[in-house]
Amino acid sequence: MKRRQRLISVEIRTQQFIQRSLLSHLYQCVLKEERQPDRGNLLDIGNLDLFSRPTMRDRLSNLQEVSNSHVEQMEYAESTVSDTFSNIDLEMELPHEAVVFEDNSPALEDVFSQSQDIHREIQLIRVEIKRLREQNSRMMGVTTMSTIKRDSNAIGADIKARAEGVLARLRDMDGEAHKLEEEYGSNCAVTRIARTQYACLSNGFRDTMFDYNEAEMSHRENCKAQIQRQMEIVGREVTGEEVEEMIEKGQWNIFNDNIMAEGKTARSALSQIEKRHQELVDLETRINGIHEIFLDIALLVEEQGPMLNTIQTNVQKTDEGIQEALVKLNRAKRHDKNNPFKKMFCSCFPCVD
Amino acid sequence: MAPSGLKAVVGEKILNGVIKSVKKDGEWKVLIVDHMSMRILSSCCKMSDILAEGVTIVEDINKRREPISSLEAIYLISPVEKSVRALINDFKDAAFTYKAAHIFFTDTCPDGLFAEIGRSRVSKVVKTLKEINVAFLPYEAQVFSLDDPNSLYSFYSSKPNKDKDKIMENLAEQIATLCDTLKEYPAIRYRKGPEDNARLADEVYQRLTAHKADNPSMGEGADKARSQLLIVDRGFDPISPILHELTFQAMAYDLLDIKQDIYSYQTTGIGNSNDREVLLDEDDELWVQLRHMHIADVTKKVTELLRTFCESKRMCTDNANLKDLSQMLKKMPQYQKELSMYSTHLHLAEACMKKFKGSVDKLCEVEQDLAMGANAEGEPLKDAMKSIVPVLLNNEIGAYEKIRIILLYIFHKKKGIGEENLAKLIQHANIQADSNIITNLQNLGCNIIAGGRNAEQTLPERRERTESTYQLSRWAPIIKDVMENAIEDKLDRKQWPFISDPAPINTTQTAVSSARFGHWHKNKSPTEYRSGPRLIIFVIGGVSQSEMRSAYEVTRATDGKWEVLIGSSHILTPTSFLNDLKSLDQVPNPDS
């Protein structure tokens, strides 16, 4: 009962990560590793062609001409002019001096190095998943499976360990982002950078885990199909449902029925089936491992929704309230200056203003 | 599924040409956009795409930004004064806001602004300055928009508009960048009638030639000589934007309140009900499949898809035992996404049908009869007045719906109606407050008052349509006829004159061997290089959803030989169209 409750609550929680998954992003990242060396030879000609065709006009040289012709006169004039303009600027535009922005570059560096690390870990996990896929596909064809199987298990365990590491780091990053938010405010650039990085990394991680799940699931299906085929060879037809049941219940006594049967072929087929069965059982334990991680991911990824990925909503979320405040402040300043009492005092006692 | 068509082309151009081209490993950059470029960017790229290419934050140029002097900035802006000023301001003080600037303009920067940039301190830290020639919004794979909702006012307002020339130049430039991005050099045609068409066509031709001078590979290709660009005015087909359409996309945008393509609704999940917002765009594969289907087909198809999905994954929770639940759980994460897609579209279809059954179904019948001039059996309509009077007298029907019926009645009477008749109709319908919508349509060149302005204007002859349609969806937009005629080269030269002498349309092979084998050495990405001819249609004043759908239908009918792109300054819904019409005779709001 408890287990069912837990499963249902997990259902609820897993329902909470409804985000757009970006397979293209996944492929980009996975294949980026391999694509870059390839770019060197064959495709280079084509690519150069694409970019050297002036679909965009480069006007940097024009700009430099224009700027060079002004540089001599401007450099001296600018320095004197800027001082006198600074007062007027206060009235017309809103310069940066009015509000002091704290120097948050060390925080920024932290954020970047964190996200870089996590990104690298996720890449490594992806490489491992690829290896696992290769192992699995090899296993389908070859009969001597013990070494390959051991490797698969090892890879699976490795992936799980790494994934847990990444999850812990993501959680740290989340904590850091919250701290930054409290320290600098929710619309500060650093906070937004941290949040965006975190969102994209957790998206990427989730896609990677999906991929791993997919790899294991498809292998499971393949094994099942193989078992079915083998059983047909042995002479017994089973449907997919029955195989599932056998896996669940761990009952393999069906095999035992035929143990008295004819010939070596039957026995070797039988042993293969048993190996596959063992293989499946291992798979199941690995999958159980993933699910613990998935539970954690579900908790990790809040209800962000697909809108987070849209640039428009991202940009529009930032607010700008300060401009209004400054305009009002200036007005107040002016009114204050115009205060008649002050004027009287000012005429009696000329003060520096 | 990766988007194809316009979005892919523009997305690739921006990602590769702008962001990747300045990417440096280990260094992050800030991306700064202004309003227009933000819309362009968000319609074809996602945050995670640009994050993967080294952009860590996107800022709006017009908002106050705090200095991040350790990072370089990519400015993707349109060359207007406001943005350039903001750009110069960033580097005006002693402490630069960013370490360096890579500037990308969406189209040609005028000399004055360019000189200003050259004079300012920005020029010292500029590392890149390019004009990317993308000044339009790729709304869908075959639909583009120029993001100017005020254009109906600019072109057709009763008060003379002195900015009209400038606006027309801007429009022409934007259309030229579209052709540039698609590497097309089409023959330009316009509909003979309003002089704006001819002027705009002329401007586009000038700019197109300028672009071709910089970029001689535009329009190269065996079939590209047949590409055409048609310029049409909204008054050519005033019926399509006001008709109630029953295809999914048109119906949803018409009946429901969908702003900025975001559909929000409430889900009743297991236990809790929460608000969900979904973006209806091409990333949603199911939307792409369903959007042009009739609503009846939509509900059928979605339930069918959902059923096969559930069956194949054995997700029926009725007699689930522990084993099934655990199975579901194992496969749950991927299924979540698909299930949520189905649920969204089911909700959307349900909401549309609810509104439809409310009052719209009666209206649709009357509207289709009026628009086609014949009822469902094909008999010509004898007494249109009799069918519309009960609608007009019905107080439950909203004012805009009544106006739509009245307008359709007027268009049905091809020569317009008398003033007293119009006044009587308005009085019956009790819509005096909005009656100027009807009279303002004359600004578009439509024939409203018999014997008044535009007395000679008539709606064009229609093609015979033999495909079977639902009774309430018999109307096909007039532009569909035009598209089909243009593709078959049957478009009348007198009504649709060319700006320049068209290239001789011959079917002889050029010297280069076939398109399939002759260009193997050019690494063309499938998104960019389409070897067939294109038909680009620009509607002045707004394009309706049904016309967008026609573009896809016609493209499909040619088996992919031709690609039809349609676009305008903005996308119309009937409500927005009527709102715009209402304000045509008013003084513009000084803030807008």
Side-chain angles (χ1 to χ4, degrees):
Chain A
M1 190 57 202
K2 241 196 213 168
R3 195 159 163 219
R4 185 176 280 225
Q5 274 181 354
R6 210 179 69 155
L7 285 170
I8 293 180
S9 69
V10 162
E11 220 177 53
I12 298 173
R13 264 180 274 155
T14 50
Q15 259 196 358
Q16 278 177 0
F17 55 79
I18 299 172
Q19 296 196 31
R20 279 169 192 282
S21 107
L22 308 148
L23 277 172
S24 61
H25 171 68
L26 177 67
Y27 282 114
Q28 267 180 35
C29 292
V30 171
L31 301 176
K32 210 169 33 178
E33 314 291 288
E34 290 98 37
R35 208 186 266 166
Q36 267 156 4
D38 279 349
R39 266 186 173 200
N41 33 28
L42 239 193
L43 310 184
D44 225 13
I45 311 171
N47 272 342
L48 271 180
D49 200 23
L50 258 174
F51 288 128
S52 67
R53 255 190 261 152
T55 51
M56 311 194 175
R57 216 178 305 150
D58 192 347
R59 299 186 70 184
L60 193 60
S61 38
N62 294 10
L63 187 75
Q64 279 163 352
E65 286 169 20
V66 175
S67 78
N68 284 339
S69 63
H70 279 99
V71 115
E72 283 87 34
Q73 307 129 341
M74 283 318 289
E75 257 188 339
Y76 183 68
E78 238 182 28
S79 47
T80 50
V81 151
S82 56
D83 296 318
T84 52
F85 274 162
S86 57
N87 291 333
I88 304 177
D89 277 353
L90 207 60
E91 309 281 325
M92 298 193 302
E93 297 175 23
L94 304 163
H96 291 216
E97 294 106 49
V99 178
V100 177
F101 287 113
E102 308 163 38
D103 181 24
N104 39 32
S105 32
L108 213 55
E109 290 296 321
D110 276 341
V111 170
F112 286 149
S113 63
Q114 258 188 335
S115 67
Q116 203 83 310
D117 287 339
I118 299 180
H119 189 65
R120 216 177 317 125
E121 279 293 313
I122 297 182
Q123 299 289 68
L124 288 173
I125 295 182
R126 287 205 172 113
V127 171
E128 293 286 303
I129 294 177
K130 263 195 66 190
R131 270 182 59 202
L132 185 68
R133 276 224 166 90
E134 285 169 13
Q135 287 283 69
N136 282 346
S137 57
R138 261 197 288 162
M139 207 182 311
M140 299 310 297
V142 174
T143 48
T144 57
M145 295 191 296
S146 46
T147 44
I148 305 178
K149 197 171 58 156
R150 246 182 282 135
D151 283 339
S152 287
N153 279 344
I155 297 178
D158 190 34
I159 291 180
K160 181 162 176 219
R162 276 190 207 275
E164 284 175 349
V166 172
L167 206 60
R169 284 200 192 175
L170 275 175
R171 254 190 242 116
D172 285 340
M173 196 173 184
D174 191 24
E176 289 284 329
H178 279 146
K179 255 191 281 167
L180 279 174
E181 187 164 346
E182 283 160 30
E183 206 181 314
Y184 293 110
S186 67
N187 276 314
C188 165
V190 188
T191 323
R192 276 183 295 136
I193 290 180
R195 259 193 279 145
T196 326
Q197 293 279 354
Y198 170 73
C200 287
L201 283 172
S202 50
N203 250 349
F205 179 53
R206 196 191 47 135
D207 292 341
T208 316
M209 286 292 107
F210 276 9
D211 200 32
Y212 176 45
N213 198 20
E214 185 55 42
E216 297 280 39
M217 288 273 89
S218 62
H219 184 55
R220 187 179 192 275
E221 297 294 314
N222 289 341
C223 283
K224 230 176 67 178
Q226 267 235 348
I227 291 185
Q228 264 185 279
R229 274 207 309 273
Q230 298 284 30
M231 298 210 74
E232 279 176 31
I233 296 176
V234 177
R236 284 208 38 162
E237 296 222 356
V238 276
T239 63
E241 302 262 346
E242 292 183 11
V243 178
E244 292 272 346
E245 274 187 47
M246 293 199 296
I247 296 172
E248 279 298 314
K249 301 201 187 124
Q251 284 171 353
W252 294 92
N253 40 10
I254 313 201
F255 299 128
N256 299 340
D257 291 352
N258 276 350
I259 215 132
M260 293 315 193
E262 333 62 6
K264 258 191 187 172
T265 48
R267 238 172 273 145
S268 62
L270 189 63
S271 61
Q272 277 202 33
I273 293 173
E274 286 191 326
K275 281 196 196 128
R276 294 245 178 266
H277 156 62
Q278 191 51 39
E279 152 81 19
L280 271 176
V281 169
D282 287 335
L283 241 182
E284 295 280 331
T285 39
R286 287 212 297 274
I287 290 176
N288 276 332
I290 306 178
H291 280 83
E292 289 162 26
I293 301 187
F294 266 123
L295 281 184
D296 294 334
I297 296 181
L299 292 174
L300 171 78
V301 177
E302 316 109 41
E303 167 90 52
Q304 292 172 355
M307 302 309 300
L308 193 70
N309 214 2
T310 319
I311 297 179
Q312 186 157 351
T313 47
N314 228 318
V315 176
Q316 282 172 342
K317 261 193 282 187
T318 63
D319 70 34
E320 48 176 0
I322 315 183
Q323 297 207 11
E324 306 266 328
L326 275 173
V327 168
K328 293 218 167 77
L329 270 176
N330 288 331
R331 235 185 280 155
K333 202 173 174 189
R334 245 183 294 132
H335 286 317
D336 189 45
K337 258 197 257 178
N338 290 340
N339 192 343
F341 292 116
K342 260 202 179 167
K343 278 218 162 109
M344 283 196 307
F345 278 127
C346 280
S347 52
C348 308
F349 308 104
C351 48
V352 182
D353 204 343
Chain B
M1 191 175 73
S4 59
L6 266 180
K7 281 205 183 205
V9 174
V10 175
E12 200 219 341
K13 193 166 183 182
I14 293 187
L15 267 182
N16 287 337
V18 175
I19 303 185
K20 260 200 196 144
S21 67
V22 295
K23 177 182 176 186
K24 242 199 289 199
D25 272 329
E27 263 188 34
W28 294 95
K29 294 203 166 50
V30 181
L31 176 63
I32 309 189
V33 292
D34 67 359
H35 183 79
M36 176 76 184
S37 55
M38 173 186 74
R39 300 261 295 156
I40 298 177
L41 191 64
S42 70
S43 71
C44 58
C45 299
K46 297 261 172 241
M47 272 312 287
S48 37
D49 296 337
I50 58 176
L51 202 90
E53 304 298 343
V55 168
T56 181
I57 188 175
V58 183
E59 302 256 32
D60 184 341
I61 201 170
N62 296 315
K63 298 213 164 106
R64 295 201 49 136
R65 283 161 285 124
E66 52 179 276
I68 310 178
S69 42
S70 52
L71 299 182
E72 301 184 350
I74 304 178
Y75 286 86
L76 178 59
I77 52 182
S78 34
V80 291
E81 196 169 316
K82 195 168 171 203
S83 304
V84 171
R85 282 281 148 71
L87 164 68
I88 296 180
N89 273 346
D90 274 351
F91 295 92
K92 204 167 64 162
D93 316 310
F96 289 160
T97 320
Y98 305 106
K99 197 160 78 172
H102 303 266
I103 309 180
F104 293 89
F105 283 121
T106 53
D107 67 61
T108 325
C109 183
D111 291 329
L113 290 176
F114 195 75
E116 255 194 72
I117 299 179
R119 280 197 295 266
S120 70
R121 294 171 87 176
V122 190
S123 51
K124 294 196 188 60
V125 287
V126 165
K127 286 196 181 169
T128 322
L129 179 66
K130 286 198 186 151
E131 292 164 355
I132 60 172
N133 289 330
V134 174
F136 60 94
L137 260 180
Y139 188 73
E140 287 178 8
Q142 287 175 233
V143 178
F144 63 92
S145 154
L146 300 185
D147 204 28
D148 182 16
N150 294 328
S151 86
L152 199 70
Y153 185 82
S154 319
F155 273 89
Y156 297 117
S157 73
S158 316
K159 317 263 183 286
N161 193 347
K162 43 188 169 10
D163 288 330
K164 199 161 165 188
D165 290 335
K166 187 117 200 336
I167 293 177
M168 225 186 254
E169 285 173 12
N170 279 344
L171 272 190
E173 181 61 40
Q174 287 177 296
I175 301 177
T177 61
L178 170 71
C179 297
D180 190 304
T181 309
L182 294 170
K183 298 201 185 13
E184 292 276 348
Y185 187 64
I188 307 180
R189 301 172 82 163
Y190 60 95
R191 180 175 94 90
K192 196 174 181 81
E195 53 175 55
D196 283 341
N197 293 1
R199 269 181 61 197
L200 184 61
D202 212 24
E203 297 266 349
V204 175
Y205 179 63
Q206 285 175 17
R207 294 214 160 52
L208 210 56
T209 337
H211 275 268
K212 172 116 181 161
D214 287 328
N215 190 1
S217 68
M218 265 169 73
E220 267 175 26
D223 278 326
K224 294 292 191 186
R226 291 197 283 156
S227 299
Q228 293 183 25
L229 166 64
L230 263 58
I231 301 204
V232 183
D233 57 310
R234 182 69 263 165
F236 172 60
D237 180 3
I239 299 184
S240 299
I242 52 180
L243 204 58
H244 276 104
E245 285 281 339
L246 295 179
T247 53
F248 200 27
Q249 185 181 23
M251 196 172 180
Y253 276 81
D254 183 5
L255 300 178
L256 307 173
D257 186 23
I258 298 186
K259 290 200 178 50
Q260 290 185 336
D261 306 328
I262 299 175
Y263 172 55
S264 24
Y265 65 103
Q266 293 224 323
T267 53
T268 50
I270 303 181
N272 47 3
S273 87
N274 38 11
D275 295 319
R276 284 199 55 210
E277 285 187 343
V278 183
L279 186 64
L280 295 171
D281 76 344
E282 300 206 319
D283 279 330
D284 188 344
E285 299 169 17
L286 200 54
W287 173 249
V288 173
Q289 273 184 9
L290 298 175
R291 63 186 169 186
H292 296 141
M293 290 171 63
H294 193 270
I295 190 82
D297 297 333
V298 165
T299 354
K300 255 194 294 177
K301 181 139 189 175
V302 179
T303 35
E304 185 190 307
L305 284 173
L306 189 56
R307 205 162 14 115
T308 28
F309 184 73
C310 280
E311 269 173 15
S312 71
K313 319 292 179 188
R314 278 174 286 163
M315 296 207 50
C316 23
T317 46
D318 299 342
N319 46 4
N321 51 12
L322 212 58
K323 177 188 78 150
D324 282 339
L325 277 180
S326 75
Q327 272 279 15
M328 273 166 35
L329 209 58
K330 282 171 193 159
K331 313 212 175 148
M332 186 67 93
Q334 287 97 311
Y335 297 170
Q336 272 303 320
K337 181 173 91 86
E338 301 189 42
L339 277 179
S340 75
M341 255 196 331
Y342 288 122
S343 124
T344 306
H345 289 285
L346 272 177
H347 259 273
L348 196 55
E350 233 177 298
C352 287
M353 285 306 286
K354 211 161 62 165
K355 279 260 164 114
F356 177 70
K357 291 205 185 86
S359 57
V360 179
D361 50 355
K362 301 183 221 79
L363 293 175
C364 272
E365 243 186 84
V366 179
E367 285 183 0
Q368 288 290 324
D369 287 346
L370 285 174
M372 300 298 292
N375 65 4
E377 279 84 39
E379 299 163 7
L381 207 55
K382 287 192 205 70
D383 188 0
M385 185 64 92
K386 200 165 54 167
S387 46
I388 72 172
V389 166
V391 173
L392 295 182
L393 293 174
N394 187 345
N395 280 330
E396 288 171 20
I397 298 184
Y400 273 15
E401 261 83 31
K402 291 185 183 166
I403 293 191
R404 284 154 86 165
I405 296 268
I406 294 184
L407 285 174
L408 285 170
Y409 173 72
I410 298 178
F411 296 132
H412 168 70
K413 295 251 181 269
K414 298 200 181 352
K415 294 201 178 54
I417 62 176
E419 284 223 43
E420 324 87 54
N421 277 346
L422 181 61
K424 236 194 299 176
L425 280 175
I426 293 178
Q427 202 185 20
H428 280 314
N430 208 5
I431 48 164
Q432 283 84 345
D434 300 320
S435 59
N436 57 349
I437 295 183
I438 303 180
T439 39
N440 283 347
L441 257 178
Q442 295 180 96
N443 292 11
L444 268 65
C446 305
N447 200 2
I448 304 282
I449 308 285
R453 283 157 64 175
N454 316 320
E456 315 86 41
Q457 298 292 338
T458 49
L459 295 173
E461 287 297 314
R462 305 304 310 274
R463 269 170 90 114
E464 280 295 313
R465 295 217 167 260
T466 50
E467 60 246 15
S468 61
T469 48
Y470 284 86
Q471 260 193 15
L472 295 182
S473 300
R474 287 171 275 146
W475 170 259
I478 304 180
I479 199 84
K480 191 167 177 188
D481 291 352
V482 173
M483 288 179 203
E484 291 173 345
N485 284 339
I487 288 181
E488 294 166 12
D489 198 28
K490 286 204 204 119
L491 211 51
D492 185 10
R493 295 253 169 122
K494 283 193 227 65
Q495 285 182 359
W496 296 85
F498 282 90
I499 281 284
S500 55
D501 288 327
I505 298 171
N506 52 1
T507 48
T508 59
Q509 293 282 3
T510 54
V512 182
S513 51
S514 78
R516 216 180 313 155
F517 297 117
H519 301 278
W520 62 269
H521 58 282
K522 287 211 194 103
N523 179 41
K524 50 183 190 282
S525 57
T527 55
E528 201 173 274
Y529 190 73
R530 243 200 74 95
S531 49
R534 280 195 174 104
L535 175 62
I536 307 175
I537 302 188
F538 180 75
V539 185
I540 304 179
V543 67
S544 72
Q545 314 265 0
S546 47
E547 292 167 339
M548 282 157 48
R549 185 189 76 228
S550 314
Y552 289 91
E553 288 171 353
V554 174
T555 308
R556 243 198 313 264
T558 65
D559 274 332
K561 286 203 206 60
W562 278 77
E563 188 183 14
V564 181
L565 300 175
I566 191 169
S568 176
S569 42
H570 59 292
I571 314 284
L572 292 174
T573 61
T575 322
S576 75
F577 185 50
L578 293 177
N579 281 337
D580 285 342
L581 282 176
K582 194 163 172 178
S583 60
L584 273 188
D585 57 356
Q586 289 164 6
V587 183
N589 205 346
D591 299 330
S592 65

